[in-house]
Amino acid sequence: MYVLYHYPYSQHARRVVALLEEAKLAYELRHVAMDKGEHMSPAYLALNPNHQVPTLIDGALTLFESNAILRYLCVKHDLDDWCPVELASRAAVEQWLDWNQCRLSPSVIDVVLNKAFLGDQGDPAAIQRGEEKLAELLPVLDAELVSKKFLAGAQPSIADLSVASNITHLSFAAAEPKQENVTAWLRRVCAIEGFKKTLLQ
Ligand SMILES: N[C@@H](CCC(=O)N[C@@H](CS)C(=O)NCC(=O)O)C(=O)O
């Protein structure tokens, strides 16, 4: 049985829950009360010195970084549907996982954290920086999805779970994307049962 340290508002944790659900893997969720600073406690820092969720425990293995956890689960359970072995499809999955972490995530965090979660303490410069970056990045995603149902082709992969968890996070800041192909793809990802379960009402 996996143990996943989790916080329901975390887009990084939600993508892992989505895969655990879809793969029907047994897991226990442990809520990290981030609103009360539990992620900074010595007990949690001993598991994840980055003071972040998610953290996965698999027996003696402790693993952080959501995309690394997704890859680990796919390899361990031969989830080839979610992480294809065919080279070109696999390369597309890896490309979008990295794009999500390196390019999309910082702008989503700038906007959502500062506009929605920090309230009056939010930094207007960070919001502007994030919005400008999103205006550049969302058309990149939209162009990719012109001729594809999902990021690596006809079937959803962990790249879709990862990117879509960030895109749905934008709704906390009422900053949902307007691009036609992105919104159609998002509807398809949100219809995946395991992903749907992770969405906050
Ligand atoms: N690169 C990490 C990012 C995880 C992350 O940023 N988690 C946030 C919640 S969405 C967090 O725990 N933030 C608390 C902190 O950084 O102190 C991953 O993909 O797992």
Side-chain angles (χ1 to χ4, degrees):
M1 160 93 78
Y2 291 110
V3 172
L4 185 74
Y5 287 84
H6 164 263
Y7 186 66
Y9 287 94
S10 165
Q11 71 274 37
H12 300 93
R14 289 194 295 105
R15 65 188 62 155
V16 177
V17 175
L19 183 65
L20 288 164
E21 285 285 332
E22 277 298 306
K24 300 194 176 5
L25 299 172
Y27 67 99
E28 175 198 329
L29 280 186
R30 291 211 185 139
H31 181 88
V32 180
M34 298 186 67
D35 46 334
K36 300 193 174 83
E38 196 186 342
H39 58 305
M40 303 302 287
S41 68
Y44 190 70
L45 289 172
L47 296 174
N48 187 334
N50 305 296
H51 45 84
Q52 293 186 327
V53 292
T55 304
L56 182 83
I57 311 291
D58 180 17
L61 179 79
T62 300
L63 194 59
F64 51 74
E65 287 299 328
S66 56
N67 285 353
I69 296 171
L70 294 176
R71 291 182 179 101
Y72 173 76
L73 292 172
C74 286
V75 171
K76 182 168 172 185
H77 297 282
D78 295 323
L79 303 178
D80 297 351
D81 289 352
W82 288 99
C83 193
V85 287
E86 188 273 316
L87 190 57
S89 306
R90 176 60 167 269
V93 168
E94 298 293 347
Q95 171 185 281
W96 288 107
L97 285 173
D98 284 1
W99 181 84
N100 189 42
Q101 292 296 72
C102 301
R103 294 185 65 71
L104 186 63
S105 261
S107 53
V108 169
I109 290 169
D110 272 346
V111 171
V112 176
L113 183 67
N114 289 286
K115 217 170 172 178
F117 293 145
L118 291 181
D120 292 347
Q121 309 294 314
D123 175 1
I127 296 171
Q128 189 182 344
R129 180 177 65 216
E131 287 176 344
E132 285 172 4
K133 200 72 192 165
L134 283 175
E136 178 194 326
L137 295 175
L138 290 171
V140 173
L141 186 59
D142 197 58
E144 182 72 14
L145 292 163
V146 168
S147 58
K148 282 181 177 174
K149 275 183 82 179
F150 295 101
L151 289 170
Q155 299 300 324
S157 72
I158 53 174
D160 298 282
L161 300 180
S162 192
V163 176
S165 66
N166 259 336
I167 298 288
T168 54
H169 205 57
L170 287 169
S171 62
F172 289 115
E176 292 90 345
K178 305 277 182 283
Q179 289 79 2
E180 191 182 334
N181 301 304
V182 174
T183 51
W185 160 82
L186 195 58
R187 269 196 303 277
R188 288 192 284 275
V189 180
C190 288
I192 297 169
E193 279 306 316
F195 189 85
K196 201 194 296 184
K197 276 192 184 167
T198 72
L199 295 173
L200 295 163
Q201 301 308 314

